Amino acid sequence: MKKTPFLELPVGRVALLILGSLALGGFSSAFAAGEASPALGLGDAVGLAFDKSPALRAREAALRQVQADLVRARTYPFNPELDLGAGDRQGPDVSSTDYEILLTQEIEIAAQRRKRISVGQSDLSAAESLLRREQRRLAFEVEIAFAEALAWRELVEIAQIDADLTRGLFDFAKRRLDAGAGTQVALNLAQATAGRSEKALQQAVAAYKAAGHRLAEVVGLPPESRVEPLGGLSLRERDLPPLEELVRQALVERADLTAARYEMDAAEGAIRLAKSQAFPNLKVGLFYSEEEGTDRIKGVGLQLPIPLFNRNQGEIARAQATSERQVAEASTAELAVRREVADAYAEYLAARDSAAALSYLVVGTFEENLSLLQRALEAGKIDAAEVLVFRREFVGGQREYVEVLFAAWVAAISLDLATGSTSVPSSE
């Protein structure tokens, strides 16, 4: 029969394979005290977060605001104006009524509307990119919380097995002392160890519950409901391209960098708009007036302000400064992205290699030595203190392995976030 690699076994399963054979106490869940918690897989958790996240709702509302600004930019800003007037004319011999009608329309003569639309479209594209970034960040946060809950569940299993083991060893030491084969020192050591193991178990249970509350909060449920994660913590093996290729991917795929580019476009468009607004708007008018029973007057009028003092200097300077700031911030963001990718890449490789090494050198060696330890214990060739040495190495190695698996999981999804490849639920 082909042997299952330890990397493919859940950590708690490895522990049960080892300590279950020692018959030093069965596994009893310390955190199954009748609590009803909703159980979610990772995909369901991410989908629920997308439905309920207030942060995502806020970003979607911001997008709708920008969409409304674009509607406003596309709408011609000036409506026609109609003036009506009437008055009595009183003379020495006759009186009459005069009427006057004036229709005017303000006209932009420097294509300001087209420039406003261009700025609005760039702002909209930036807002859409920021929404995508928020979605990816939310999926990342859910997966972090999910992995943390899985890790603490594994640590609770290890702590439970450790508590069972130390209680069994305590009973074993008492029996040896009663039989005259043990010492009070060995019994006291076993009792103290059992007490510390029970304390560690309760601390792990509390941490696991807190992780479930955090997972509930990040998916948008009341934190007191506590979510139970489905699945197990495992090493995510993946073939990575060279770092330079991942950096190039991030520069293309990162939605926040895309948003920064659109914001630069909007800033440049705002400069063009501000300069065009230095040109005065033309007012065209049609008028008609008459004096009752006498003259009728029709005509066309034009009104054009003279930009002698106000040539929109302040808005132009402000738009130019904004553009310079956007360029500088985009350059800073690009450098930060390059660093994030490099850091995540290095962290993932280190965590992956550490997990593989621990699986082979630490976790895998326990099964090899198990039969020797069991035969020695049954034959009375070793005492409880010697078993406690094995227990310390076992528990420490198992905990360290879980921590490294969690670090590898976090590093993998951090690399996805850094390169802009985090998976999000379909919008369809």
Side-chain angles (χ1 to χ4, degrees), residues 33-53:
E35 294 189 19
S37 303
L40 293 174
L42 178 57
D44 292 334
V46 174
L48 187 60
F50 270 59
D51 289 337
K52 294 182 174 295
S53 169

Side-chain angles (χ1 to χ4, degrees), residues 200-275:
L201 172 60
Q202 297 306 318
Q203 290 174 333
V205 169
Y208 173 62
K209 290 181 178 180
H213 294 317
R214 285 191 294 273
L215 179 56
E217 180 182 11
V218 78
V219 301
L221 295 175
E224 61 271 17
S225 65
R226 197 168 71 83
V227 171
E228 176 83 16
L230 296 176
L233 194 65
S234 59
L235 181 63
R236 294 186 165 189
E237 289 283 1
R238 56 193 297 183
D239 295 326
L240 291 181
L243 176 59
E244 294 77 10
E245 184 176 335
L246 289 175
V247 170
R248 287 194 297 270
Q249 176 186 341
L251 296 180
V252 174
E253 297 294 336
R254 280 282 292 259
D256 50 344
L257 290 185
T258 302
R261 297 184 190 106
Y262 282 122
E263 287 170 351
M264 286 192 296
D265 293 341
E268 292 173 359
I271 294 175
R272 293 190 292 269
L273 176 60
K275 289 180 177 179

Side-chain angles (χ1 to χ4, degrees), residues 161-184:
I161 294 172
D162 182 38
D164 291 344
L165 171 63
T166 54
R167 282 194 296 267
L169 289 174
F170 177 51
D171 293 339
F172 179 75
K174 284 195 297 184
R175 291 195 300 271
R176 284 178 60 85
L177 183 62
D178 293 341
T183 65
Q184 187 65 43

Side-chain angles (χ1 to χ4, degrees), residues 42 81 84 150 198 207 212 233 238 249 281 315 362 385 395:
L42 178 57
E81 297 180 8
L84 301 175
L150 288 177
E198 185 63 31
L233 194 65
R238 56 193 297 183
Q249 176 186 341
N281 293 338
E315 286 300 320
V362 178
V395 172

Side-chain angles (χ1 to χ4, degrees), residues 19 22 24-25 158-174 186-187 189-201 384 387-389 391-392 395 399:
L19 291 180
L22 283 172
L24 294 175
I158 294 170
Q160 177 70 70
I161 294 172
D162 182 38
D164 291 344
L165 171 63
T166 54
R167 282 194 296 267
L169 289 174
F170 177 51
D171 293 339
F172 179 75
K174 284 195 297 184
L187 177 62
L189 175 62
Q191 182 176 8
T193 303
R196 287 193 297 269
S197 296
E198 185 63 31
K199 176 185 175 182
L201 172 60
V387 176
L388 287 176
V389 173
R391 163 255 172 196
R392 182 180 60 198
V395 172
R399 285 174 177 163

